[in-house]
Amino acid sequence: HQVYNVLNVFFNWNVEMDKCVTENPIVRGLTKSIKTAVTTYVDENVKDKHIIESEVIRVMEFVEGKQEEIIYHLQTYHGLRISEALGIQWSHIDFSRNLIKVRQQVEVGGTIKKDLKSHHNREIPISPDTRDLLLNTPEDERQGFLYADANGIPLDKDKWRRKHRRN
């Protein structure tokens, strides 16, 4: 559907600007062909999106001891979206009640959005492993965002993915 929308806009712009085409070919029935081609490509080339336990273990072993380990814990063991995990601040962690308050998410450019994708704030219990990981962070470093750049600005999900892209 996304491919269709992009191509449709592209061809309409070409027609309006009197560029290389005089008529949008999508309107003439190309829609079904595009959708069929995309569906076939996805079916043939996208492997199972579910990961297995051994893959989770391998990832968690890879990030063990690294600064981003906390973010991986929040995603893997607590079900946070990457934008929510990157939006967690130390003030959102309640060690006395053993809860993390999910109140915001990081948008593109590092801006904070208080309206979550799920449309409601929530509190989630901290797993023992995540709690230990958080408590291992020196107290003088427990301020601002759990994971931010050198200026204290949280990474957005696009910057996070580019930084952690598998080569």
Side-chain angles (χ1 to χ4, degrees):
H1 185 69
Q2 190 176 13
V3 172
Y4 164 79
N5 287 338
V6 170
L7 287 174
N8 196 32
V9 168
F10 171 77
F11 283 120
N12 282 337
W13 177 82
N14 274 283
V15 170
E16 289 174 21
M17 300 306 288
D18 199 25
K19 296 288 181 186
C20 54
V21 294
T22 58
E23 181 182 358
N24 184 342
I26 293 178
V27 178
R28 292 183 291 148
L30 190 56
T31 305
K32 187 174 182 178
S33 297
I34 290 173
K35 287 181 182 178
T36 302
V38 169
T39 302
T40 302
Y41 177 81
V42 169
D43 289 345
E44 292 174 356
N45 295 292
V46 176
K47 295 182 178 172
D48 189 6
K49 290 185 178 183
H50 301 292
I51 59 175
I52 56 176
E53 185 178 0
S54 63
E55 291 173 315
V56 171
I57 292 168
R58 206 168 67 229
V59 168
M60 296 312 287
E61 286 173 349
F62 179 76
V63 298
E64 188 173 351
K66 296 180 181 176
Q67 182 185 14
E68 54 268 4
E69 184 178 7
I70 293 173
I71 300 301
Y72 280 92
H73 265 256
L74 294 174
Q75 290 185 271
T76 305
Y77 302 124
H78 302 287
L80 270 66
R81 294 176 178 90
I82 184 59
S83 58
E84 293 172 335
L86 293 170
I88 298 292
Q89 296 178 278
W90 283 100
S91 60
H92 299 158
I93 299 170
D94 186 341
F95 287 111
S96 63
R97 294 177 49 217
N98 207 39
L99 294 172
I100 297 174
K101 301 169 189 170
V102 183
R103 303 281 186 257
Q104 61 194 20
Q105 60 190 23
V106 180
E107 294 289 294
V108 174
T111 58
I112 302 301
K113 182 179 177 188
K114 299 287 184 180
D115 182 29
L116 299 172
K117 193 170 188 173
S118 61
H119 300 293
H120 66 280
N121 296 333
R122 61 195 188 280
E123 294 179 343
I124 56 172
I126 304 173
S127 74
D129 288 342
T130 302
R131 181 182 173 84
D132 291 345
L133 183 62
L134 292 165
L135 289 172
N136 282 335
T137 302
E139 284 194 42
D140 62 327
E141 293 178 19
R142 296 182 197 168
Q143 54 191 344
F145 292 90
L146 294 184
Y147 192 87
D149 66 15
N151 299 318
I153 298 170
L155 269 64
D156 63 39
K157 64 182 179 183
D158 293 336
K159 287 180 184 173
W160 171 269
R161 288 181 178 139
R162 279 194 300 273
K163 182 174 180 175
H164 296 92
R165 183 178 301 146
R166 187 169 46 172
N167 294 326

